């Protein structure tokens, strides 16, 4: 690592958010000016600073020094110290007071003050002391944090997250217990905290490490099974893989400490990560209030009259089942509408909104969905603005908090939540906790689709409680379209014969494992000739790895849809090449950029990143341009092929779904059903027919262990 020493002359650029800076300094060598770039606070222009980093020859701007950190070199001579202390940097300190300090403490006065600020107590006033100490410590505080914390896996973005949560206590808190970062900072995992702790000199059997490993093991067990609680045996099994040499007595002691500190909760033989337990309590209590809520029922005759008016307005005729569903929802505190494709869920939602608007013109309807694509689809269907749950609750990425909450609730009357099967235990609790002003809730979802990725089984738990007004839609209203997609989905759902379903808009291309990818590509070429565009076609698969995994299919389709071109810039990230023109999938919610998990966009440019010496990607999400620096690339991947989970909440004109015997550990009826129901016009299944049948007939889903159903029943009975 190189070092340079110099004094600030010009600030060319500075970003307050990530501290990226471009400055010019005057070095001692030949009186030269040098451009220094990096993430650091702006130095003062009074003292010299030492910069640590490397020289870099920028193709446009010439020689630069890329600094990883810098430190202030405090004046050492009497004259320099007097000039520094009496400069405008120190408010209320003039030459007279500066002379007083130097006469009392000597030429190394500044170093003495940094070591022991109280040395000033008998020399200057409390106000003057505060001015001196704050200036000496503030400028290099974040640079000290960078020096202390920066390591493989810990990006500047993560460091800024830590600062936003801990503020001025960042260094002291992390030094005291780096494992606390796992609890307090979204996306900060145990392995990263463990590496940081090792760097800071923590022992293998440090109590903080043991408790963090146990809590991590409990969370890992619940996420692996998507359950809200787990067993002690599962926790210990995971824990022993991290720290094997801890005896059972000690484990029992630390488990008790975690329960004492409110991080684990034990109920009978069930062990909950406390956040999951707290979420179940909130969900059961709030939902029970809606179950018991007395609604000022609208007389049936008035509702029927309103429905008739809407039928005339939009030239539609609802059948008796649909009318009954609309009336039930309008007159219930909480309702669930569930059904497969073609059963009229969207028709009923739209009708409910129109009837509600007619009856309560001054009331506000809130439309929410778990993903960006699902919320956009809901907006298009209803003509009302919909948004993601995270957006409605004003989620902050850095602090992982919601500014709309129990103390600052949602302002609305009717809450409609679509694609509810994707909502997990904790997200539901955040939404319900902010719903004290809501009068009615309508939940919409297909209970036969894949459940949430996160812990919980909330849609099934609510339906199985038998306490909520559930409208199960079974009648297919799109029969006139002769849709074999819908027939196949319902036959799979009802465990009926599917042998006659592979015609018209459903095709199965049977081929061996080696030829699956080639068959996908050949069909895509055929679809292109028939007028299907890249945006119309979506390949969905269960797994990322393997010869027919998502990653390999993406590489193949990138070369077809967006081959290498001398006019297109590209960048390599790990084993992945991103190229201008690529189809991009967003993996995480980025509320501040208005882009959400499941959104698909186009990589329109690769540009020089002003905030680093590298490149940035600019992705267009339906007119919303989002920038990604190197540290953000973990939030995206190619979208030519996506997982079945990521496809939920969306529909595509053409779905292509491969089936391989290598997928078998992932194949289950709800996954196959979910993949099929993503297709709107055409469904193409490719691969091993026996593997497809295995998935269709496999109803042995991984059991999810939750307590919501029992809590809800108990809560309703106690009201």
């Amino acid at each position: 690592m190189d070092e340079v020493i110099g004094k600030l002359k010009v600030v060319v650029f500075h970003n307050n958010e990530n501290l990226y800076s471009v400055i010019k300094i005057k070095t001692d060598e030949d009186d030269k000016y040098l451009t220094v770039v990096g993430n650091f606070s702006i130095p003062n222009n009074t003292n010299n600073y030492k910069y640590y980093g490397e020289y870099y020859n920028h193709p446009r701007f010439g020689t630069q020094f890329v600094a990883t950190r810098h430190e202030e070199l405090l004046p050492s001579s009497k004259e320099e110290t007097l000039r520094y202390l009496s400069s405008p940097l120190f408010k209320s300190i003039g030459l007279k007071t500066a002379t007083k300090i130097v006469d009392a403490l000597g030429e190394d006065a500044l170093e003495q003050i940094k070591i022991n600020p109280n040395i000033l107590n008998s020399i200057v006033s409390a106000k003057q002391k505060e001015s001196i100490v704050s200036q000496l410590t503030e400028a290099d505080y974040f640079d000290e944090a960078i020096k202390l914390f920066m390591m493989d896996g810990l990006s500047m973005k993560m460091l800024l997250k830590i600062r936003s949560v801990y503020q001025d206590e960042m260094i002291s808190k992390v030094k005291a217990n780096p494992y606390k970062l796992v609890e307090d900072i979204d996306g900060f995992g145990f392995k990263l905290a463990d590496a940081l702790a090792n760097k800071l000199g923590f022992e293998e059997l440090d109590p903080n490490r043991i408790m963090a490993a146990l809590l991590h093991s409990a969370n890992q067990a619940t996420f692996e099974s998507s359950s809200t609680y787990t067993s002690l045996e599962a926790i210990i099994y995971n824990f022993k893989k991290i720290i094997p040499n801890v005896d059972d007595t000690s484990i029992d002691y630390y488990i008790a400490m975690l329960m004492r500190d409110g991080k684990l909760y034990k109920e009978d033989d069930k062990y909950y990560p406390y956040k999951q337990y707290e979420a179940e309590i909130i969900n059961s209590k709030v939902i029970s209030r809606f179950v018991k809520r007395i609604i000022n029922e609208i007389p049936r005759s008035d509702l029927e009259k309103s429905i008739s008016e809407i039928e005339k307005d939009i030239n539609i005729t609802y059948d008796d089942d649909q009318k009954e569903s609309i009336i039930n929802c309008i007159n219930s505190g909480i309702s669930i509408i569930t059904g497969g494709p073609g059963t009229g869920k969207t028709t009923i939602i739209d009708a409910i909104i129109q009837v509600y608007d007619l009856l309560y013109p001054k009331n506000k309807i809130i439309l929410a969905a778990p993903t960006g694509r699902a919320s956009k689809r809901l907006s298009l269907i209803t003509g009302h603005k919909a948004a993601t749950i995270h957006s409605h609750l004003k989620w902050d990425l850095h602090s992982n908090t919601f500014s709309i909450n129990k103390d600052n609730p949602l302002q609305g009357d009717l809450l409609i939540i679509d694609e509810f099967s994707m909502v997990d235990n904790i997200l539901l609790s955040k939404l319900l906790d902010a719903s004290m002003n809501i009068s009615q809730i309508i939940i919409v979802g297909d209970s036969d689709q894949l459940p949430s990725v996160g812990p919980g089984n909330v849609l099934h738990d609510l339906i199985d409680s038998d306490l909520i007004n559930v409208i199960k839609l079974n009648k297919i209203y799109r029969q006139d379209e002769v849709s074999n997609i819908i027939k196949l989905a319902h036959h799979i759902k009802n465990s009926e014969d599917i042998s006659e379903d592979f015609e018209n808009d459903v095709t199965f291309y049977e081929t061996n494992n080696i030829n699956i990818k080639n068959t996908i590509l050949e069909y895509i070429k055929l679809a292109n000739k028939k007028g299907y565009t890249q945006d119309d076609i979506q390949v969905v698969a269960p797994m990322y790895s393997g010869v027919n995994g998502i990653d390999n299919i993406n590489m193949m389709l990138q070369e077809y849809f967006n081959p290498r071109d001398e006019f297109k810039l590209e960048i390599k990230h790990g084993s992945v090449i991103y190229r201008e023109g690529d189809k991009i999938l967003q993996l995480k919610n980025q509320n501040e950029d208005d882009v959400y998990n499941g959104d698909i966009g186009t990589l329109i440019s690769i540009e020089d990143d002003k905030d680093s010496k590298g490149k940035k990607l600019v992705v267009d999400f339906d007119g919303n341009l989002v920038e990604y620096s190197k540290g953000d690339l973990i939030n995206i991947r190619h979208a030519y092929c996506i997982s079945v989970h990521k496809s939920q909440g969306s529909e595509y004109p053409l779905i292509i779904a491969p089936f391989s015997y290598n997928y078998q550990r992932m194949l289950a009826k709800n996954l196959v059903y979910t993949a099929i129901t993503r297709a709107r016009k055409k469904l193409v299944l490719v691969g091993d027919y026996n593997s497809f049948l295995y998935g269709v007939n496999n109803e042995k889903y991984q059991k999810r262990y939750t307590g919501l159903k029992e809590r809800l029943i108990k809560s309703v009975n106690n009201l």
Side-chain angles (χ1 to χ4, degrees):
M1 182 177 286
D2 296 320
E3 300 174 3
V4 295
I5 295 174
K7 187 175 291 185
L8 174 70
K9 289 300 176 183
V10 180
V11 177
V12 179
F13 176 83
H14 179 67
N15 184 321
N16 283 323
E17 291 296 318
N18 59 16
L19 300 187
Y20 179 75
S21 306
V22 180
I23 62 174
K24 288 187 180 294
I25 64 170
K26 190 175 183 181
T27 65
D28 294 333
E29 298 177 9
D30 302 325
D31 228 19
K32 288 182 178 179
Y33 284 83
L34 175 67
T35 299
V36 178
V37 299
N39 299 85
F40 47 75
S41 55
I42 292 297
N44 64 64
N45 59 1
T46 303
N47 287 338
N48 278 320
Y49 279 72
K50 182 184 285 188
Y51 299 86
Y52 300 85
E54 296 177 348
Y55 286 96
Y56 170 68
N57 189 23
H58 193 284
R60 181 177 173 188
F61 300 112
T63 301
Q64 297 180 339
F65 189 81
V66 181
T68 55
R69 64 184 178 91
H70 71 351
E71 61 184 33
E72 186 176 9
L73 300 179
L74 295 177
S76 54
S77 70
K78 181 176 180 179
E79 292 75 16
E80 287 177 339
T81 304
L82 284 172
R83 188 162 51 250
Y84 180 53
L85 277 173
S86 59
S87 72
L89 292 171
F90 298 90
K91 295 175 182 178
S92 73
I93 307 295
L95 181 60
K96 184 178 179 181
T97 304
T99 303
K100 188 178 176 183
I101 293 169
V102 174
D103 287 346
L105 301 178
E107 293 181 350
D108 63 345
L110 298 173
E111 290 294 345
Q112 292 186 55
I113 294 167
K114 288 185 77 171
I115 295 169
N116 179 21
N118 291 330
I119 202 170
L120 289 170
N121 289 350
S122 60
I123 304 173
V124 297
S125 69
K127 183 179 179 181
Q128 290 172 321
K129 174 189 172 183
E130 182 184 359
S131 173
I132 295 168
V133 173
S134 63
Q135 176 58 37
L136 288 176
T137 57
E138 182 180 353
D140 59 357
Y141 180 80
F142 195 62
D143 298 310
E144 182 185 349
I146 292 174
K147 179 182 177 181
L148 184 65
F149 303 145
M150 290 307 283
M151 50 188 279
D152 286 345
L154 183 53
S155 65
M156 177 60 65
K157 197 165 189 175
M158 184 62 76
L159 193 58
L160 291 168
K161 268 191 183 184
I162 298 170
R163 186 178 72 160
S164 72
V165 173
Y166 290 160
Q167 300 294 326
D168 293 340
E169 297 179 289
M170 176 172 64
I171 292 176
S172 59
K173 282 195 172 185
V174 175
K175 278 185 173 181
N177 182 10
Y179 296 101
K180 192 76 167 55
L181 291 164
V182 181
E183 300 172 46
D184 296 342
I185 310 299
D186 182 46
F188 204 104
F190 173 81
K191 287 184 179 179
L192 188 54
D194 209 26
L196 182 55
N198 184 57
K199 182 180 178 181
L200 293 172
F202 278 67
E203 298 291 334
E204 181 188 3
L205 297 181
D206 185 283
N208 287 318
R209 182 172 191 252
I210 293 173
M211 287 196 287
L214 283 167
L215 187 58
H216 167 73
S217 298
N219 281 312
Q220 185 182 13
T222 57
F223 271 88
E224 284 172 350
S225 65
S226 297
S227 302
T228 58
Y229 65 83
T230 187
S231 65
L232 181 60
E233 291 74 21
I235 296 173
I236 293 174
Y237 175 79
N238 287 339
F239 172 76
K240 290 284 189 179
K241 289 191 286 187
I242 303 170
I243 312 178
N245 52 338
V246 179
D247 60 78
D248 291 346
T249 302
S250 296
I251 290 174
D252 289 343
Y253 169 77
Y254 287 116
I255 289 279
M257 291 298 98
L258 287 170
M259 290 191 289
R260 180 204 66 183
D261 294 343
K263 295 173 183 177
L264 271 183
Y265 186 85
K266 182 175 181 289
E267 188 174 71
D268 300 323
D269 59 348
K270 304 168 186 175
Y271 287 79
Y272 283 85
Y274 191 79
K275 289 180 180 178
Q276 294 293 343
Y277 169 75
E278 181 182 46
E280 273 196 357
I281 295 295
I282 291 169
N283 291 338
S284 60
K285 285 185 176 179
V286 176
I287 291 172
S288 64
R289 291 202 294 268
F290 280 96
V291 170
K292 287 286 191 176
R293 180 159 290 171
I294 298 171
I295 299 294
N296 293 323
E297 286 196 16
I298 305 294
R300 187 179 188 89
S301 58
D302 291 349
L303 283 169
E304 289 175 343
K305 182 181 177 183
S306 297
I307 293 171
S308 295
E309 287 181 34
I310 289 164
E311 286 178 317
K312 289 176 185 176
D313 260 0
I314 61 175
N315 193 26
I316 194 172
T317 301
Y318 301 113
D319 67 18
D320 291 342
D321 289 342
Q322 290 175 318
K323 289 178 183 177
E324 199 63 34
S325 300
I326 297 164
I327 291 168
N328 277 343
C329 287
I330 294 291
N331 279 335
S332 296
I334 182 168
S335 303
I336 296 174
I337 301 172
T338 184
T343 56
K345 292 192 300 295
T346 55
T347 301
I348 290 176
I349 296 171
D350 190 43
I352 288 168
I353 291 171
Q354 294 195 60
V355 171
Y356 192 86
D357 276 339
L358 198 61
L359 295 169
Y360 305 105
K362 293 183 179 180
N363 285 10
K364 181 181 177 183
I365 300 172
I366 298 174
L367 299 180
T371 68
R373 289 182 75 84
S375 66
K376 288 171 187 173
R377 182 167 166 265
L378 187 58
S379 294
L380 287 172
I381 290 165
T382 63
H384 282 61
K385 181 174 173 54
T388 64
I389 296 171
H390 283 82
S391 181
H392 278 302
L393 298 180
K394 300 193 183 304
W395 177 63
D396 179 69
L397 172 69
H398 295 297
S399 61
N400 193 29
T401 57
F402 297 89
S403 61
I404 300 297
N405 49 44
K406 186 177 181 179
D407 299 321
N408 182 30
L410 286 165
Q411 300 300 316
D413 301 280
L414 171 62
L415 171 63
I416 299 177
I417 315 161
D418 197 14
E419 295 292 347
F420 192 78
S421 63
M422 302 169 68
V423 177
D424 63 37
N425 184 47
I426 287 181
L427 182 57
L428 178 61
S429 73
K430 300 300 182 185
L431 181 59
L432 292 179
D433 208 29
S435 298
M436 65 171 58
N437 290 336
I438 300 296
S439 300
Q440 292 173 267
I441 295 178
I442 296 174
I443 290 167
V444 185
D446 187 343
S447 59
D448 292 296
Q449 282 190 30
L450 288 167
S452 61
V453 175
N457 202 14
V458 291
L459 181 56
H460 282 272
D461 285 345
L462 296 184
I463 292 172
D464 292 346
S465 72
D466 289 328
L467 295 170
I468 296 172
N469 173 42
V470 178
I471 297 158
K472 294 185 178 179
L473 305 174
N474 297 308
K475 183 177 178 181
I476 300 174
Y477 289 92
R478 279 154 49 184
Q479 289 280 18
D480 57 318
E481 298 176 13
V482 197
S483 172
N484 280 82
I485 297 171
I486 292 174
K487 289 178 183 177
L488 177 61
H490 282 272
H491 288 158
I492 290 173
K493 171 183 173 179
N494 299 321
S495 301
E496 296 170 352
D497 179 42
I498 62 172
S499 60
E500 302 297 322
D501 294 334
F502 300 98
E503 57 183 14
N504 299 323
D505 53 358
V506 178
T507 304
F508 199 113
Y509 286 101
E510 192 164 5
T511 186
N512 61 40
N513 200 51
I514 296 172
N515 286 322
I516 286 176
K517 285 201 308 174
N518 289 336
T519 306
I520 290 171
L521 182 57
E522 289 307 310
Y523 186 82
I524 287 174
K525 291 177 181 177
L526 179 63
N528 286 158
K529 290 178 182 177
K530 291 183 177 181
Y532 286 96
T533 67
Q534 176 181 302
D535 292 336
D536 295 330
I537 302 168
Q538 187 59 60
V539 183
V540 298
M543 295 174 61
Y544 285 95
S545 60
V547 65
N548 295 307
I550 293 166
D551 293 336
N552 267 347
I553 294 174
N554 266 322
M555 288 175 63
M556 174 189 73
L557 295 182
Q558 181 192 36
E559 286 308 305
Y560 172 70
F561 283 116
N562 190 32
R564 184 173 280 106
D565 186 312
E566 62 178 309
F567 299 107
K568 293 178 182 176
L569 296 177
E570 57 183 48
I571 184 173
K572 189 171 184 181
H573 180 66
S575 61
V576 179
I577 294 174
Y578 290 106
R579 186 175 298 136
E580 290 176 338
D582 273 341
K583 187 176 180 180
I584 299 295
L585 173 70
Q586 177 71 21
L587 299 176
K588 293 184 178 181
N589 292 321
Q590 289 178 210
N591 198 47
E592 74 280 17
D593 293 317
D594 195 27
V595 61
Y596 301 93
N597 178 16
D599 283 355
I600 291 178
T602 302
L603 174 54
I604 59 171
S605 66
I606 298 173
E607 305 171 359
D608 289 329
D609 189 353
K610 293 178 181 178
D611 292 346
S612 73
K613 68 176 182 179
K615 300 287 185 180
K616 68 178 178 184
L617 278 59
V618 181
V619 180
D620 182 359
F621 293 95
D622 296 327
N624 176 30
L625 303 185
V626 180
E627 296 182 357
Y628 298 86
S629 60
K630 183 179 179 181
D632 302 323
L633 296 184
I634 58 171
N635 292 341
I636 62 172
R637 69 188 318 140
H638 287 120
Y640 303 105
C641 179
I642 63 177
S643 71
V644 178
H645 274 98
K646 292 294 183 187
S647 72
Q648 278 185 275
S650 303
E651 282 187 345
Y652 304 89
L654 169 59
I655 284 286
I656 302 175
F659 287 89
S660 163
Y661 58 80
N662 291 330
Y663 295 161
Q664 284 198 5
R665 68 182 181 86
M666 295 287 292
L667 293 178
K669 179 191 264 192
N670 57 2
L671 182 136
V672 176
Y673 175 83
T674 302
I676 287 170
T677 54
R678 301 308 91 210
R680 189 164 65 243
K681 291 183 179 179
K682 180 70 178 176
L683 172 67
V684 176
L685 308 171
V686 177
D688 178 28
Y689 187 70
N690 288 328
S691 295
F692 171 74
L693 289 180
Y694 173 84
V696 167
N697 295 313
N698 181 21
E699 297 191 48
K700 295 180 180 178
Y701 316 128
Q702 181 182 42
K703 182 172 174 56
R704 297 186 172 210
Y705 296 93
T706 71
L708 179 58
K709 174 184 168 183
E710 289 73 21
R711 291 189 200 286
L712 180 57
I713 292 170
K714 185 177 179 180
S715 183
V716 169
N717 290 336
N718 288 339
L719 281 178

